[in-house]
Amino acid sequence: MGAVVGTLTMQTKQRRPSRDKVDDELEMTMVCHRPEGLEQLEAQTNFTKRELQVLYRGFKNECPSGVVNEETFKQIYSQFFPHGDASTYAHYLFNAFDSTHNGSIKFEDFVMGLSILLRGTVREKLQWTFNLYDINRDGYISKEEMTQIVTAIYDMMGKYTYPALKGDVPRQHVDAFFQKMDKNKDGVVTLEEFILACQEDETMMRSLQLFENVM
């Protein structure tokens, strides 16, 4: 999604750089879904009003209706991984952003998640990432859930990740992660176990692609 954000901001820079507040607020009424006011979003996120204006213009340019569905999200995201298959990972990422679980991402959902991932505390970022891995949202990460996400990341990176690796490599990595994370050996990883393990082992955090490839 970092690539997606880059595209959004790049496209907005191609437009007129100066607009006053009235114009920005007027634009926000011209779509099917009108997001919260800039002041409210500024209070709820770690972005300035100006940054929110830039993000909103880019979001609206990609999604004129004011919301993005999963298929559109996949199409946008897949553009940045031409040598792999990003569709499965994009599916999981879409669900993580879809806070209301209604099959669409509103601008508010987008910037709230983005605010955490780009400017949140380490704990906030890890909690967001835990929710990404907790596919069935039961409050635990199972070995199967982690395998699905890690496999999706390998598929997304394509030949740049494993030109000659065997198909069981993702599961081998997950087995190693679980051995370190599952402190009480009950077969699942809790939020606290996940955070503790990642804070104790920077290599594990990088291997899980926690921040670089989540967005």
Side-chain angles (χ1 to χ4, degrees):
M1 276 302 283
V4 176
V5 174
T7 297
L8 296 181
T9 54
M10 185 185 306
Q11 289 170 336
T12 59
K13 288 177 182 177
Q14 295 172 352
R15 303 172 66 173
R16 293 198 305 272
S18 60
R19 285 194 175 188
D20 59 27
K21 176 183 176 182
V22 174
D23 287 336
D24 289 316
E25 297 290 352
L26 180 61
E27 280 190 24
M28 296 174 82
T29 68
M30 302 299 288
V31 294
C32 298
H33 169 76
R34 180 181 180 181
E36 301 289 347
L38 291 179
E39 291 83 0
Q40 185 171 343
L41 285 175
E42 184 179 16
Q44 294 174 333
T45 67
N46 297 314
F47 294 120
T48 66
K49 186 179 295 186
R50 180 56 187 161
E51 288 171 331
L52 288 168
Q53 290 171 337
V54 172
L55 286 169
Y56 177 72
R57 291 173 191 163
F59 186 90
K60 193 185 70 168
N61 188 65
E62 288 284 349
C63 316
S65 67
V67 296
V68 56
N69 61 29
E70 184 172 341
E71 281 308 308
T72 301
F73 186 86
K74 285 181 178 179
Q75 291 171 9
I76 296 171
Y77 199 75
S78 296
Q79 294 174 24
F80 304 99
F81 299 95
H83 300 286
D85 180 2
S87 59
T88 302
Y89 186 73
H91 165 74
Y92 295 132
L93 189 60
F94 178 88
N95 287 340
F97 272 100
D98 180 13
S99 59
T100 56
H101 316 313
N102 64 357
S104 63
I105 299 174
K106 303 188 299 293
F107 178 67
E108 298 95 312
D109 299 325
F110 179 68
V111 294
M112 292 291 281
L114 199 62
S115 175
I116 291 172
L117 287 165
L118 295 183
R119 297 181 182 174
T121 64
V122 171
R123 184 179 179 86
E124 287 172 338
K125 292 175 179 179
L126 287 172
Q127 185 165 352
W128 197 96
T129 306
F130 178 90
N131 293 334
L132 171 70
Y133 278 76
D134 179 16
I135 296 172
N136 67 2
R137 305 183 188 278
D138 65 352
Y140 303 94
I141 298 175
S142 67
K143 187 174 288 189
E144 184 58 36
E145 285 175 321
M146 185 174 287
T147 300
Q148 289 179 47
I149 297 289
V150 172
T151 299
I153 291 173
Y154 274 86
D155 290 342
M156 175 177 66
M157 300 307 293
K159 67 180 183 181
Y160 289 117
T161 302
Y162 57 112
L165 295 187
K166 297 179 181 179
D168 61 348
V169 168
R171 185 168 291 278
Q172 292 174 5
H173 285 175
V174 170
D175 288 341
F177 295 151
F178 248 76
Q179 186 172 0
K180 294 181 179 180
M181 287 184 175
D182 185 13
K183 302 294 185 182
N184 62 0
K185 308 303 178 185
D186 63 352
V188 293
V189 173
T190 65
L191 174 62
E192 290 306 319
E193 285 177 327
F194 182 81
I195 291 175
L196 180 62
C198 290
Q199 288 179 331
E200 289 178 344
D201 190 337
E202 291 185 6
T203 301
M204 183 186 299
M205 191 179 295
R206 287 195 299 270
S207 297
L208 283 170
Q209 308 283 319
L210 290 184
F211 303 145
E212 290 83 0
N213 283 326
V214 158
M215 289 301 296

